[in-house]
Amino acid sequence: MSPTQTHLALILRVPAALEEAIEGLLLENDAAASAGFVSRDVRFHGDAAAYQTIIEQVRGYTRMVEITIGLPEVEIRALLTSLRETFPGRGLTFHVVPIVEAGPIG
């Protein structure tokens, strides 16, 4: 991580049905593919959850995929623009948080 560039972590919450499409978009993006990213299955609970089925409403959660990627701020902004253009109104949500320090251990 360059000390002069602001790096951010983009945390995406993606409906499970869009997992492969989102991962494909990330792998086609040079910066994202180069940096790599982590994806994991999560259960989203609460009033803000967009339940897709009656079963999810009864269970009290919806299955989603959470994707985390760290990139320079300019790359995060470009990636968000691409996601907004490609997947408008499809239930994606995100958080952007600063990365204070990152690197290999040892």
Side-chain angles (χ1 to χ4, degrees), residues 3-83:
T4 59
Q5 266 187 329
T6 300
H7 275 65
L8 302 173
L10 172 62
I11 304 163
L12 294 169
R13 276 197 312 258
V14 177
L18 293 177
E19 176 180 14
E20 289 185 19
I22 299 294
E23 289 175 351
L25 182 141
L26 293 174
L27 290 170
E28 290 174 1
N29 178 289
D30 290 339
S34 178
F37 56 90
V38 175
S39 65
R40 61 188 151 274
D41 290 331
V42 296
R43 293 177 177 173
F44 187 49
H45 303 263
D47 293 340
Y51 299 115
Q52 302 297 314
T53 66
I54 299 292
I55 293 172
E56 289 179 345
Q57 291 175 11
V58 171
R59 283 190 312 219
Y61 66 86
T62 186
R63 183 181 164 271
M64 298 191 83
V65 175
E66 188 174 83
I67 299 171
T68 304
I69 183 167
L71 291 169
E73 183 173 5
V74 66
E75 298 293 344
I76 291 287
R77 300 293 171 210
L79 190 52
L80 283 170
T81 297
S82 178
L83 288 164

